[in-house]
Amino acid sequence: MKSFSLSFLFSFLFSSFLLSSCAPNDSHSNSNSHSNSNSHSNSNSSSPLSALAEKQKGAHVFSLENVDEYSILEPYHLNWVTMVSWAFQDSIRSDHTWANRGDTTAMREYDERWAERIRRAKSQGYKVFFKPHLWIQHTENGEWRSDIDHDTEEDWLSWRETYRSFILRYATVAEAGNADMYCIGMEFDQLSSKRPEFWVELIADVRAVYSGKVIYAANWYREYEAITFWEHLDYIGIQGYFPLCSKKQPSLEDITNGWDDHLKDMEKVAQANQRHVVFTEMGYRSTTNAAAKPWEWVEYDEENEAVYSEEIQVNCYKAFFEKVWNKPWFAGVHLWQLRTDHERRAEDFKLDFTTQGKAAEETIGHYFGNTVER
């Protein structure tokens, strides 16, 4: 998913901590127990994947601190909560990352607060997907996380160690909190193709300290099909911001038909690797062009076409549930995003991905609450 403005991010992080024109568009997306599966080997069987008994009905929830705040989740009928921790680096060529720098005591206390958040969600009956994100502070010319690469082997080795430390640190937190699934990386298009051995080693290192399910969140655009290490993971994770229709006022049928080619590609990868697909992230803005470039933040609307439309947002979700949800190889979705401060900041989120207080809230709740999994 494409980054938004740095000033908006810091506001976002601070509040989070405290509290056929409809043919697929190939433009780049700048876009409660553990089950230990340390040797979850790839099967060469070509038999179709069977539907899972229960699918992941999740959402990224920010500013969720207290038990009474869980009431905001009730309309959605979720069974998972997705939690995001952050690391940073200066640019796509940086030779290191960092996360919550401070003395040992402060970092230990910070990590324990994360573990406690996970435990609190579990105590409320939710499973937890813990999903570290890496934020690039300075970008230009459309650069983003997928473009991270290094000019020298020395720079790569330095970056590798700091990123590994970040991921293992929060894998330990995930284990302490008894999180059900943990993400080792997200949308590293260059690094996943050029450095597959690093990811295989990282997966093994994570499994040594964490006993839950392990996943990688691949970009929808050309990355997930090219990854060679799916067999070492428990699911095929995809950031599901697929373009569905480029019409300015698409109908529900237009949007629904936009899934056809994407479904064929995903099923092929799922069957080849004998792994179910999880959308590690998916969401739609409440704008008329939400189906054309779902990954695009309002701040980065290149054509300035962010016209308010709850109807298009609703139809995007309807198309997803009607076309994708019941595929036997599909294991679930983690929606972007819900917030405990949505009422206070409703105007800020009017055109954004949040569905709270919008018609899509009822739509998602209806499908999560009433669809028969098959």
Side-chain angles (χ1 to χ4, degrees):
M1 180 184 244
K2 187 170 182 175
S3 305
F4 47 107
S5 67
L6 186 59
S7 61
F8 187 87
L9 172 71
F10 285 125
S11 171
F12 173 87
L13 290 177
F14 182 69
S15 62
S16 297
F17 181 78
L18 292 178
L19 310 170
S20 193
S21 59
C22 292
N25 182 345
D26 281 338
S27 62
H28 197 300
S29 119
N30 281 340
S31 35
N32 125 10
S33 62
H34 287 319
S35 174
N36 194 337
S37 47
N38 294 354
S39 58
H40 200 2
S41 59
N42 188 18
S43 169
N44 292 322
S45 171
S46 59
S47 59
L49 289 166
S50 299
L52 300 179
E54 182 181 60
K55 297 194 177 186
Q56 298 179 22
K57 305 171 184 178
H60 296 69
V61 188
F62 293 93
S63 307
L64 193 60
E65 294 289 339
N66 303 311
V67 170
D68 58 0
E69 292 173 332
Y70 278 81
S71 61
I72 69 168
L73 309 183
E74 293 173 2
Y76 292 92
H77 300 287
L78 304 174
N79 56 11
W80 285 71
V81 169
T82 313
M83 297 185 177
V84 174
S85 59
W86 298 88
F88 304 88
Q89 69 180 63
D90 185 61
S91 72
I92 65 169
R93 302 298 181 194
S94 296
D95 66 357
H96 67 283
T97 67
W98 71 90
N100 187 41
R101 292 182 289 199
D103 62 37
T104 302
T105 300
M107 292 175 66
R108 186 182 298 116
E109 291 174 351
Y110 182 84
D111 292 351
E112 175 53 31
R113 288 197 296 273
W114 265 120
E116 182 55 32
R117 290 187 188 107
I118 296 171
R119 295 186 198 106
R120 188 177 301 118
K122 302 276 287 185
S123 74
Q124 297 302 302
Y126 295 96
K127 293 185 177 181
V128 175
F129 175 26
F130 199 36
K131 184 167 175 266
H133 283 204
L134 177 63
W135 183 263
I136 303 174
Q137 293 191 303
H138 303 102
T139 60
E140 56 186 27
N141 300 322
E143 296 170 339
W144 68 299
R145 187 166 46 244
S146 72
D147 300 310
I148 291 176
D149 204 354
H150 301 91
D151 296 322
T152 69
E153 188 67 10
E154 181 180 10
D155 286 349
W156 154 246
L157 293 174
S158 174
W159 186 94
R160 181 186 69 176
E161 289 309 306
T162 58
Y163 184 79
R164 177 180 178 276
S165 177
F166 163 58
I167 291 299
L168 290 181
R169 171 185 173 183
Y170 283 107
T172 302
V173 171
E175 181 68 13
N178 197 33
D180 300 270
M181 188 164 70
Y182 183 68
C183 189
I184 62 162
M186 185 174 70
E187 299 169 326
F188 292 107
D189 299 37
Q190 293 292 321
L191 296 181
S192 67
S193 62
K194 294 180 178 180
R195 310 281 187 175
E197 69 287 345
F198 164 71
W199 299 101
V200 173
E201 293 171 2
L202 183 60
I203 293 163
D205 290 341
V206 166
R207 291 199 188 278
V209 299
Y210 172 70
S211 57
K213 300 293 186 182
V214 181
I215 196 168
Y216 174 86
N219 189 8
W220 68 268
Y221 182 75
R222 296 183 179 176
E223 185 188 13
Y224 81 89
E225 306 100 312
I227 283 179
T228 59
F229 49 86
W230 288 130
E231 66 180 291
H232 298 277
L233 294 158
D234 295 295
Y235 298 100
I236 293 170
I238 301 176
Q239 300 282 92
Y241 295 100
F242 295 92
L244 302 174
C245 186
S246 59
K247 285 183 178 179
K248 292 187 180 297
Q249 293 285 343
S251 66
L252 174 58
E253 182 180 8
D254 290 331
I255 298 170
T256 303
N257 290 340
W259 278 107
D260 289 344
D261 288 342
H262 300 311
L263 289 175
K264 294 175 185 176
D265 293 339
M266 283 188 286
E267 182 175 14
K268 182 178 179 179
V269 174
Q271 291 296 154
N273 290 278
Q274 288 292 288
R275 294 290 184 277
H276 289 82
V277 170
V278 172
F279 280 179
T280 44
E281 194 173 305
M282 187 198 80
Y284 299 99
R285 291 165 293 136
S286 46
T287 61
T288 54
N289 61 347
K293 297 179 179 180
W295 62 85
E296 192 169 70
W297 293 84
V298 173
E299 291 85 354
Y300 283 79
D301 187 344
E302 297 170 354
E303 299 173 0
N304 195 27
E305 294 182 342
V307 178
Y308 186 66
S309 174
E310 290 192 28
E311 180 184 5
I312 299 300
Q313 187 180 47
V314 164
N315 284 343
C316 285
Y317 280 109
K318 283 184 177 179
F320 161 74
F321 282 110
E322 294 294 336
K323 199 78 173 203
V324 183
W325 181 253
N326 283 316
K327 296 298 182 184
W329 46 263
F330 187 73
V333 62
H334 295 264
L335 304 176
W336 184 275
Q337 58 166 306
L338 304 182
R339 300 187 62 91
T340 60
D341 59 353
H342 73 98
E343 290 184 351
R344 178 171 57 83
R345 300 180 59 193
E347 193 61 29
D348 293 340
F349 302 131
K350 181 178 180 180
L351 301 175
D352 215 330
F353 293 85
T354 52
T355 54
Q356 291 155 285
K358 302 175 185 176
E361 178 180 73
E362 183 177 351
T363 300
I364 296 167
H366 167 76
Y367 281 99
F368 273 165
N370 296 288
T371 51
V372 177
E373 294 169 1
R374 57 184 183 272

